Amino acid sequence: MNPTLESFLQDVASHELTVNLDSGVYRDITIASPNTMVMHYNITTRPGYLMITGDMGDFIFQRTNDMFGFFRPQSGHYINPGYWGEKVEAGVISEFDIDTANSSLQRWLTDFLADLDLSNPEDVEKSKSSLKAVTDFISGTQGSGEFDFWNEINSWDADEAGGLDLTDFFEATTTKSTFHYIWCCYAIVHAIKLYDEYKAQEQSHEK
């Protein structure tokens, strides 16, 4: 199960911000609990890049000159892992997930059944065969890894499945975001929030 905002905030409840470098868009900050490195992380920015490293994974993002501006939410701790994932230059953001893959297969079946005319006896038989084929497939692949899943897909017999063809199933969604990627998305937003508070205090002291 991927982290939620609530679980992330519990993880970093005692974390504090340390600013190691703060020169325009050149920044290096550390967020960690005092006297421990558990779930600590560092964020480094330079023009066009943001790097997050530490106990919960390493990722490099590339997009705008000031990456804090790119990740800074309008309010709260809003994250956009799908869009942000398109900007990742390094780091594993997704992994095969059997439940996601089987859910996609069920949607494939639903679309197939929607095109059948169930007042036609031949189509009724097709619906029964396809439903049985998908049910048996999912039952047999629960707990399977990526290799075994795709091996079964590649062995699929459309004729035995009532005409349900999986030739293009490679286009279906079979992955989900990794735990560490989602955690680091929250971590980036949280770090920017702490940094903005730090900058606001710094400016107030200068007045």
Side-chain angles (χ1 to χ4, degrees):
M1 180 181 296
N2 280 332
T4 63
L5 172 59
E6 290 73 22
S7 67
F8 167 78
L9 291 177
Q10 289 177 358
D11 290 341
V12 299
S14 61
H15 283 41
E16 298 176 358
L17 170 72
T18 301
V19 177
N20 307 306
L21 173 67
D22 186 22
S23 179
V25 298
Y26 293 91
R27 310 180 185 91
D28 184 79
I29 62 178
T30 301
I31 295 87
S33 295
N35 305 316
T36 178
M37 299 298 283
V38 176
M39 293 188 175
H40 83 285
Y41 61 99
N42 303 295
I43 290 182
T44 304
T45 62
R46 55 172 295 173
Y49 290 89
L50 181 146
M51 290 150 278
I52 178 170
T53 59
D55 208 25
M56 299 300 285
D58 307 326
F59 299 91
I60 299 176
F61 297 83
Q62 180 185 22
R63 185 64 174 93
T64 60
N65 182 63
D66 182 1
M67 291 298 287
F68 272 20
F70 175 73
F71 284 106
R72 185 177 286 115
Q74 296 300 313
S75 61
H77 283 80
Y78 173 76
I79 64 172
N80 191 352
Y83 177 58
W84 294 352
E86 298 173 3
K87 316 308 175 188
V88 171
E89 295 291 306
V92 178
I93 67 172
S94 63
E95 60 190 357
F96 176 81
D97 178 65
I98 189 62
D99 292 333
T100 300
N102 282 335
S103 292
S104 290
L105 180 57
Q106 289 176 318
R107 287 192 293 272
W108 212 267
L109 171 64
T110 299
D111 292 342
F112 174 76
L113 295 176
D115 291 333
L116 297 180
D117 178 5
L118 296 185
S119 65
N120 183 327
E122 184 177 344
D123 279 4
V124 170
E125 289 305 312
K126 288 182 179 179
S127 70
K128 291 179 180 179
S129 296
S130 60
L131 180 59
K132 182 179 186 305
V134 170
T135 300
D136 290 347
F137 181 96
I138 292 176
S139 176
T141 58
Q142 285 297 334
S144 297
E146 183 174 11
F147 176 82
D148 290 337
F149 176 87
W150 285 111
N151 187 52
E152 291 297 320
I153 288 292
N154 292 331
S155 301
W156 185 266
D157 189 328
D159 291 334
E160 292 185 1
L164 176 60
D165 187 10
L166 299 183
T167 302
D168 296 328
F169 190 76
F170 66 90
E171 299 176 353
T173 300
T174 58
T175 62
K176 70 173 184 177
S177 297
T178 66
F179 179 96
H180 288 94
Y181 172 60
I182 297 299
W183 196 96
C184 284
C185 285
Y186 281 121
I188 292 170
V189 173
H190 183 66
I192 293 173
K193 179 176 180 291
L194 295 179
Y195 174 82
D196 287 345
E197 292 173 353
Y198 161 83
K199 295 296 286 186
Q201 290 180 356
E202 185 180 59
Q203 291 172 3
S204 67
H205 291 158
E206 292 176 353
K207 293 180 179 179

